[in-house]
């Protein structure tokens, strides 16, 4: 079927309606020299030559597999079982869209249903939607929900500085015209200090678990005080860590969001990633996106249906407050396949490897002269190291040895000058960690 | 098609809400015509007791299997009661729109003067012509 939006006659009709004789007249506002500029393109190439050219271009990039990676801070280097890509690339699944006649695609709906179910289990929540673009947009949407629950009368949003700086920026961008009082992240505060900012105008309190520095804060009292004030507690979580830790739901979270990239999605230059969003049942009517449910068809067989789209454009038309039909469906499928092949025990094992290898690395680095691990709170697989030299100089030394060092915390946390945020996953073998320690020892002297 | 119920003791808005006035207390719901057009109602978003409602503005929402629609109040006032039963039985709006399916009760702020509403006969004609 050819797709021809307008016939010649229709075009002429439209031109006549606006009083423009020809299509060229319509574009007169564009300077002639810019209308059809000469493009300085090389001669057409054969497919073989193009492949060679593209290969050369791609080799100009560094590849994650060529380095020992000790950097996380929101994007994590985990093992991706081969089956994940094998399933993703199947034609039946290879789209980010929810089909417009969704019930016809039972496989897609079942995959989303399984994804939602597993995200609920991980987070300790009652319901999960079928995904957002990334962790940052999930957090921004959590604020939308909290403001709705507070009927837009509550204007205060309290953010922990322990939330990824970019997530906080995205939230502030989304809500910049809302006349909100967004506070709490001007400095690093403990959970107790954050609780002191809660007032009767507070719609939401958000913390990260583990936080950006990899640390685990006790948020139970904060949850209590948030609820006493009638506000919602939003927890930004690392899904791999949740395999090992008490779920945010058990700690009192009302909404749990985060980046799903660690679940079977490669680093791949920063995207596409996967925002997960789960909440208590009380709030399902406020969420963006969709929820797929399980039911029985007319023959009594198990079937999957699009159950809820409370804010979407196809249901609410001009009153919609969301239109994420292009959610990260394919990435959600990756997470689904990953979680199902890892299983509960496999995921826990991966999380334990992350934890133990990170702690081995931290202990060895702490023993080095010129490096001190910040240990005021327990940590999962990321930790902060105080260095004797600027982080950029240390990373240059590491880079020359094929090691990607930690994130320099100075730009986002000026009081943490010369502090590096390191990350260790199951991908970092002991030999790699020992090489990092050697390189750090060397880097101390410059 | 006609045959929608329009009780005589109520007034009706062009946006298909009904209002029953008793002194400065007003009870609001949606008309039989509205519930019939919406089809099976699955959710009612209710305001809270104490909320201030402004005439002509949305005070809640009903969602059916077909569509979601805003509830527009014909009067200004303060919410003194909401029909809690609708949280678990939104279908009351379909089965009993004028009694069991009432939505909110308001204390009307400006003496209950309401303009632009139709009586039962007027609303019946209005619906029949749509």
């Amino acid at each position: 079927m050819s797709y021809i939006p307008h016939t010649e006659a229709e075009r002429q009709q439209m031109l006549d309606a606006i009083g423009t004789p020809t299509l060229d007249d319509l574009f007169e506002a564009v300077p002639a020299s810019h209308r059809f500029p000469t493009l300085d393109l090389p001669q057409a190439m054969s497919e073989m030559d193009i492949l060679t050219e593209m290969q050369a271009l791609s080799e100009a990039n560094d590849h994650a597999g060529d380095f020992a990676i000790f950097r996380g801070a929101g994007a994590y280097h985990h093992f991706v079982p081969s089956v994940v890509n094998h399933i993703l690339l199947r034609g039946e699944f290879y789209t980010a869209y929810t089909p417009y006649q969704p019930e016809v695609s039972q496989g897609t709906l079942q995959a989303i249903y399984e994804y939602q179910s597993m995200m609920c289990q991980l987070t300790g929540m009652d319901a999960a939607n079928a995904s957002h673009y990334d962790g940052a947009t999930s957090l921004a949407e959590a604020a939308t929900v909290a403001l709705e629950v507070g009927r837009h009368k509550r204007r205060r949003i309290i953010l922990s500085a322990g939330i990824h700086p970019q997530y906080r920026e995205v939230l502030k961008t989304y809500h910049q015209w809302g006349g909100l009082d967004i506070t709490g992240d001007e400095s690093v505060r403990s959970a107790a200090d954050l609780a002191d900012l809660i007032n009767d105008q507070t719609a939401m309190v958000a913390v990260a678990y583990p936080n950006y520095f990899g640390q685990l804060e006790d948020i139970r009292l904060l949850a209590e005080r948030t609820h006493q004030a009638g506000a919602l507690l939003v927890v930004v979580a690392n899904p791999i860590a949740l395999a090992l830790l008490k779920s945010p739901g058990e700690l009192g979270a009302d909404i749990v969001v985060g980046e799903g990239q660690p679940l079977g999605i490669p680093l791949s230059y920063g995207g596409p990633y996967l925002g997960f969003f789960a909440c208590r049942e009380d709030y399902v009517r406020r969420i963006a996106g969709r929820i797929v449910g399980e039911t029985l068809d007319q023959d009594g067989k198990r079937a999957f249906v699009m159950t809820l789209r409370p804010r979407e454009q196809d249901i609410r038309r001009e009153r919609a407050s969301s239109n994420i039909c292009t959610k990260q469906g394919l990435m959600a499928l990756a997470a689904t396949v990953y979680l199902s092949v890892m299983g509960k025990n496999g995921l826990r094992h991966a999380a334990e490897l992350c934890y133990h290898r990170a702690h081995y690395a931290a202990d060895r680095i702490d023993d080095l002269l010129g490096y001190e691990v910040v240990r005021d709170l327990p940590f999962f697989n990321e930790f902060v190291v105080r260095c004797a030299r600027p982080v950029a100089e240390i990373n240059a030394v590491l880079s020359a040895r094929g090691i990607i060092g930690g994130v320099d915390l100075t730009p986002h946390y000026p009081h943490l000058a010369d502090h590096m945020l390191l990350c260790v996953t199951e991908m970092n073998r002991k030999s790699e960690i020992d090489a990092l320690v050697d390189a750090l020892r060397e880097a101390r002297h410059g | 098609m006609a045959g929608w119920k329009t009780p005589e003791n109520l007034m009706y808005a062009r946006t298909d809400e009904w209002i029953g006035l008793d002194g400065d207390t007003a009870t609001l719901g949606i008309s039989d015509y509205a519930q019939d057009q919406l089809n099976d109602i699955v959710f009612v978003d209710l305001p809270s007791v104490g909320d201030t409602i402004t005439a002509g503005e949305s005070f809640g929402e009903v969602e059916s299997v077909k569509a979601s629609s805003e509830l527009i109040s014909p009067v200004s006032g303060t919410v003194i009661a909401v029909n809690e039963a609708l949280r678990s039985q939104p279908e009351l709006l379909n089965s009993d729109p004028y009694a069991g399916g009432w939505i909110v009760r308001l204390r009307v702020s400006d003496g209950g003067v309401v303009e632009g509403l139709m009586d039962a006969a007027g609303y019946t004609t209005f619906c029949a012509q749509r």
Side-chain angles (χ1 to χ4, degrees):
Chain A
M1 185 185 84
S2 59
Y3 179 70
I4 301 167
H6 308 298
T7 63
E8 231 5 274
E10 284 167 338
R11 284 182 198 191
Q12 197 52 54
Q13 220 177 341
M14 287 188 278
L15 289 169
D16 291 345
I18 59 171
T20 309
T22 71
L23 202 58
D24 284 344
D25 297 324
L26 184 65
F27 295 121
E28 206 155 50
V30 180
S33 59
H34 292 289
R35 255 177 263 165
F36 297 100
T38 315
L39 301 175
D40 186 18
L41 294 176
Q43 286 295 305
M45 294 163 90
S46 72
E47 183 178 349
M48 205 171 91
D49 288 340
I50 288 173
L51 279 176
T52 309
E53 168 96 11
M54 290 302 192
Q55 189 74 34
L57 283 173
S58 75
E59 276 163 15
N61 289 327
D62 287 330
H63 180 264
D66 300 336
F67 290 85
I69 299 176
F70 290 95
R71 183 171 297 191
Y76 298 95
H77 190 217
H78 289 289
F79 183 69
V80 180
S82 310
V83 65
V84 174
N85 258 335
H86 184 76
I87 302 283
L88 284 199
L89 295 177
R90 289 191 64 100
E92 300 92 325
F93 283 124
Y94 204 32
T95 171
Y97 282 83
T98 310
Y100 279 113
Q101 197 184 350
E103 279 75 21
V104 171
S105 307
Q106 283 291 305
T108 297
L109 289 195
Q110 180 170 2
I112 294 174
Y113 178 82
E114 303 291 356
Y115 165 79
Q116 293 167 181
S117 306
M118 288 189 281
M119 294 321 295
C120 286
Q121 281 183 295
L122 269 179
T123 56
M125 293 285 106
D126 302 320
N129 74 6
S131 80
H132 286 282
Y133 300 120
D134 54 24
T137 51
S138 291
L139 176 65
E141 285 292 350
T144 307
V145 172
L147 291 167
E148 275 285 324
V149 170
R151 296 195 176 273
H152 295 274
K153 287 175 186 153
R154 293 168 174 259
R155 317 299 292 170
R156 173 168 281 201
I157 287 180
I158 299 172
L159 299 177
S160 158
I163 297 171
H164 196 300
Q166 293 169 347
Y167 290 23
R168 287 183 275 123
E169 276 175 46
V170 169
L171 183 152
K172 289 171 188 173
T173 303
Y174 263 50
H175 296 283
Q176 63 187 307
W177 308 115
L180 301 178
D181 163 27
I182 301 175
T183 185
D185 66 336
E186 307 81 8
S187 59
V188 176
R189 288 180 160 94
S190 68
D193 288 347
L194 273 184
D196 288 340
L197 297 174
I198 299 172
N199 59 13
D200 61 358
Q201 288 301 300
T202 305
M204 127 181 180
V205 179
V207 291
Y209 175 77
N211 67 20
Y212 185 65
F213 311 112
Q215 299 166 327
L216 299 162
E217 300 174 74
D218 188 347
I219 56 171
R220 285 170 297 186
L221 276 176
L222 180 65
E224 225 168 86
R225 294 197 41 196
T226 303
H227 294 146
Q228 276 164 10
L232 303 193
L233 182 70
V234 175
V235 172
V236 182
N238 173 337
I240 300 279
L242 295 185
L244 204 58
L245 305 173
K246 201 169 254 217
S247 76
E250 290 170 274
L251 300 175
D254 299 295
I255 299 175
V256 184
V257 298
E259 177 53 64
Q261 177 270 330
L263 306 173
I265 299 166
L267 291 167
S268 66
Y269 223 40
Y273 281 5
L274 165 69
F276 66 83
F277 184 108
C279 66
R280 295 199 188 278
E281 193 177 349
D282 301 353
Y283 311 119
V284 290
R285 288 275 164 190
R286 312 282 181 200
I287 67 172
R290 59 216 70 222
I291 288 180
V292 171
E294 185 191 329
T295 186
L296 297 176
D297 70 8
Q298 59 183 7
D299 300 324
K301 285 188 282 187
R302 189 186 192 214
F304 298 91
V305 287
M306 192 62 81
T307 298
L308 190 69
R309 282 162 292 179
R311 284 173 42 197
E312 296 302 299
Q313 209 167 42
D314 54 339
I315 293 293
R316 294 174 58 93
R317 305 295 166 121
E318 74 277 12
R319 288 182 296 110
S321 54
S322 171
N323 187 28
I324 48 168
C325 45
T326 45
K327 65 192 168 49
Q328 294 293 17
L330 195 64
M331 297 300 105
L333 178 65
T336 310
V337 178
Y338 176 83
L339 285 169
S340 52
V341 295
M342 294 296 279
K344 188 176 172 184
N345 292 333
L347 191 68
R348 187 180 167 95
H349 186 55
E352 282 171 352
L353 283 173
C354 291
Y355 178 91
H356 290 302
R357 288 184 179 180
H359 284 73
Y360 169 73
D363 289 344
R364 293 224 42 206
I365 292 166
D366 217 5
D367 286 342
L368 292 174
L369 265 178
Y371 298 93
E372 189 192 347
V373 173
V374 176
R375 289 183 183 273
D376 44 1
L377 283 169
F379 63 90
F380 173 56
N381 74 328
E382 289 179 275
F383 53 94
V384 175
V385 180
R386 191 178 300 124
C387 309
R389 296 178 63 191
V391 172
E393 293 176 22
I394 294 169
N395 274 337
V397 176
L398 299 186
S399 178
R401 290 174 164 235
I403 296 171
I404 295 181
V407 163
D408 182 356
L409 290 173
T410 323
H412 286 114
Y413 300 94
H415 70 289
L416 294 176
D418 302 342
H419 283 59
M420 178 190 267
L421 175 63
L422 279 163
C423 173
V424 182
T425 73
E426 80 278 12
M427 302 291 270
N428 304 112
R429 295 172 191 283
K430 181 174 178 294
S431 56
E432 239 179 60
I433 297 170
D434 292 341
L436 168 72
V437 172
D438 289 343
L440 285 172
R441 185 185 293 115
E442 193 120 322
R444 182 166 59 93
H445 306 295
Chain B
M1 190 188 116
W4 300 289
K5 281 178 252 162
T6 47
E8 295 288 338
N9 58 329
L10 304 175
M11 302 287 279
Y12 300 86
R14 296 177 70 86
T15 45
D16 300 304
E17 293 82 9
W18 57 259
I19 176 168
L21 277 167
D22 177 12
D24 64 350
T25 303
T27 305
L28 269 65
I30 62 167
S31 71
D32 192 27
Y33 171 87
Q35 73 77 21
D36 185 47
Q37 293 292 307
L38 283 166
N39 212 322
D40 292 340
I41 290 164
V42 293
F43 178 66
V44 187
D45 186 21
L46 299 164
S48 308
V49 172
D51 282 359
T52 309
I53 285 176
T54 309
E57 288 184 9
S58 165
F59 66 92
E61 236 176 52
V62 284
E63 190 182 313
S64 74
V65 292
K66 273 173 68 181
S68 101
S69 309
E70 279 182 299
L71 297 164
I72 308 293
S73 175
V75 290
S76 297
T78 308
V79 179
I80 53 173
V82 299
N83 187 355
E84 293 291 338
L86 297 178
R87 293 191 203 278
S88 54
Q89 295 168 271
E91 63 276 12
L92 283 172
L93 288 186
N94 292 116
S95 61
D96 195 10
Y98 296 112
W102 68 277
I103 297 173
V104 290
R105 201 156 285 148
L106 307 178
R107 177 89 58 227
V108 180
S109 54
D110 43 10
V113 182
V114 182
E115 287 171 8
L117 290 178
M118 291 169 271
D119 61 11
Y123 183 65
T124 302
T125 311
F126 175 69
C127 290
Q129 286 170 351
R130 285 200 273 181

